Amino acid sequence: MKDDPLILGIESSCDETAAAVIRGRVLLSDEIISSASIQAKYGGVVPELASRAHTDAVDEVVARALARADVKKKELDAVAVTYGAGLLGALLVGLSFAKGLSYALGIPLIGVSHIRGHLAAAYLEDSSLEPPFVTLLASGGHTAVLYTESLTRFEVLGGTLDDAAGEAFDKVARVLSLPYPGGPHVEALAREGTNSVPMPKMLKGQGGYDFSYSGLKTYIINYVHTKEQRGEAWSRANLACSFQHAALDILVEKTVEAAREKGCGTVTAGGGVVANGYLREALQTACAHAGLRLVLPAKKRCTDNAAMIAAEGLIRYRAGEFSPLTLNACASVPLR
Ligand code: KG4
Ligand code: ZN
């Protein structure tokens, strides 16, 4: 087993077909072919269209990642691939491709949980990062605060009781007639507004580290419908800005609180919502204020990518945890 293996990561759980190559914790390439523009026409991801797009793109994206890294297939030490959670048909495309490579090249296959991949993105940002640390995970499917004790063990301190933060952004985007995926559009609109619309209270102390977004989402939907029914003037930008504050401030608050309670000096973050500029700044300010070191993955490694899958693959490789070629795709992988 090598100390700094050359690992190819493959990700195809949703609408991005991605491949990346790392040597140890050094990122050599990170390629994505996205079908988001096709999906945008339908206002969300159509599973069959995602699977077809992956089938068209997977060979190409892997070839690009190898070429950009200047690595030949036969030099690879392992192939890491997302096996879940995600759309089954989409996952199967990347997984089958990875199995083919593993078998043909005689190298280990490493099945990676997509969520653990989001957690591992921070390792690529700072090669000196080591546990323990507290992580804010906020994506389209999950919102959680986690405590990573060692490279392979983490504890879920709290999670979403209903909708995930990213899901709330996507649903609010829809009532504001913004395109899919909603997060970046809500963020752009929020920049033109002020935090001036009163929002419902978020689940605070009594909720521990758990989150709830369905109340906030319903409030926004009702607000828009009521204003429209009554023919009253209202500002889309102010509503987006106020929603963004309500949805994101609570994430920052609970993450910093968790680090304090755990007596842990480092905070990391991951998942698509962490690409949000307001959240990034708020995390930076709060962590600096609390004397915590913050390791924030680059924006493009917060949303779905294969570099994070390769990074988690490296942890599994070093732990000697390989997967059999019979590994199946899983639509859901429990966080806990
Ligand atoms: O991690 P990700 O790419 O996919 C999942 O694993 O779910 O996260 C996608 C989610 C979507 O809900 C998207 O609207 C949200 O992340 N997102 C954002 C931003 N960029 C992506 N939410 C808020 N602000 C953003 N800039
Ligand atoms: Zn994701």
Side-chain angles (χ1 to χ4, degrees):
M1 205 111 59
K2 295 185 183 168
D3 278 349
D4 286 325
L6 208 46
I7 298 181
L8 170 70
I10 299 178
E11 152 67 34
S12 71
S13 65
C14 191
D15 56 354
E16 324 277 8
T17 322
V21 179
I22 60 171
R23 188 192 302 276
R25 278 197 190 172
V26 179
L27 183 61
L28 303 182
S29 65
D30 187 12
E31 297 291 318
I32 291 185
I33 297 178
S34 176
S35 70
S37 58
I38 303 171
Q39 309 290 357
K41 285 184 218 152
Y42 303 91
V45 179
V46 181
E48 175 61 14
L49 294 182
S51 307
R52 289 185 204 183
H54 288 307
T55 309
D56 288 343
V58 67
D59 194 29
E60 163 93 28
V61 85
V62 167
R64 280 193 208 167
L66 290 169
R68 179 64 63 94
D70 197 19
V71 161
K72 302 262 176 298
K73 278 188 189 128
K74 61 176 190 299
E75 295 174 73
L76 293 170
D77 295 305
V79 53
V81 62
T82 310
Y83 74 94
L87 303 168
L88 211 55
L91 287 163
L92 280 169
V93 177
L95 183 59
S96 308
F97 195 91
K99 284 182 184 179
L101 275 180
S102 159
Y103 184 71
L105 299 168
I107 55 174
L109 174 76
I110 306 171
V112 167
S113 147
H114 184 83
I115 307 303
R116 283 192 181 243
H118 276 302
L119 270 167
Y123 287 115
L124 294 174
E125 200 57 37
D126 182 340
S127 58
S128 69
L129 176 66
E130 294 295 338
F133 49 78
V134 162
T135 305
L136 167 64
L137 173 75
S139 70
H142 288 280
T143 310
V145 178
L146 308 125
Y147 176 62
T148 296
E149 229 174 274
S150 71
L151 287 167
T152 50
R153 277 178 59 88
F154 71 74
E155 184 189 336
V156 181
L157 301 178
T160 181
L161 301 176
D162 38 57
D163 295 355
E167 206 177 338
F169 269 85
D170 294 335
K171 286 181 180 156
V172 166
R174 203 182 265 246
V175 287
L176 292 173
S177 312
L178 294 167
Y180 170 86
H185 297 282
V186 173
E187 181 185 356
L189 182 61
R191 247 181 265 127
E192 295 164 24
T194 55
N195 180 15
S196 53
V197 183
M199 288 287 126
K201 292 238 176 315
M202 298 299 284
L203 201 60
K204 293 251 177 166
Q206 81 280 14
Y209 297 111
D210 285 337
F211 302 95
S212 167
Y213 281 99
S214 73
L216 179 62
K217 176 194 72 184
T218 309
Y219 177 86
I220 300 279
I221 294 170
N222 288 342
Y223 179 95
V224 173
H225 288 167
T226 308
K227 289 285 179 194
E228 282 176 352
Q229 271 164 9
R230 292 188 187 155
E232 289 172 10
W234 60 285
S235 157
R236 291 167 74 247
N238 288 350
L239 189 65
C241 184
S242 307
F243 160 75
Q244 184 168 267
H245 274 80
L248 301 180
D249 289 349
I250 191 81
L251 296 177
V252 177
E253 213 172 285
K254 293 202 177 188
T255 305
V256 169
E257 182 51 37
R260 211 188 324 248
E261 193 188 306
K262 283 284 174 188
C264 174
T266 304
V267 167
T268 74
V273 178
V274 181
N276 183 287
Y278 170 76
L279 176 60
R280 298 172 77 84
E281 274 175 34
L283 274 172
Q284 270 151 359
T285 309
C287 287
H289 195 250
L292 297 165
R293 168 180 173 231
L294 174 68
V295 179
L296 214 47
K299 286 188 184 185
K300 66 175 291 205
R301 274 182 281 288
C302 288
T303 46
D304 290 348
N305 67 88
M308 67 182 197
I309 302 304
E312 174 63 13
L314 174 65
I315 293 171
R316 307 269 132 204
Y317 179 96
R318 286 179 173 159
E321 290 177 18
F322 302 125
S323 308
L325 285 175
T326 50
L327 175 69
N328 211 346
C330 295
S332 68
V333 175
L335 189 55
R336 289 174 200 265

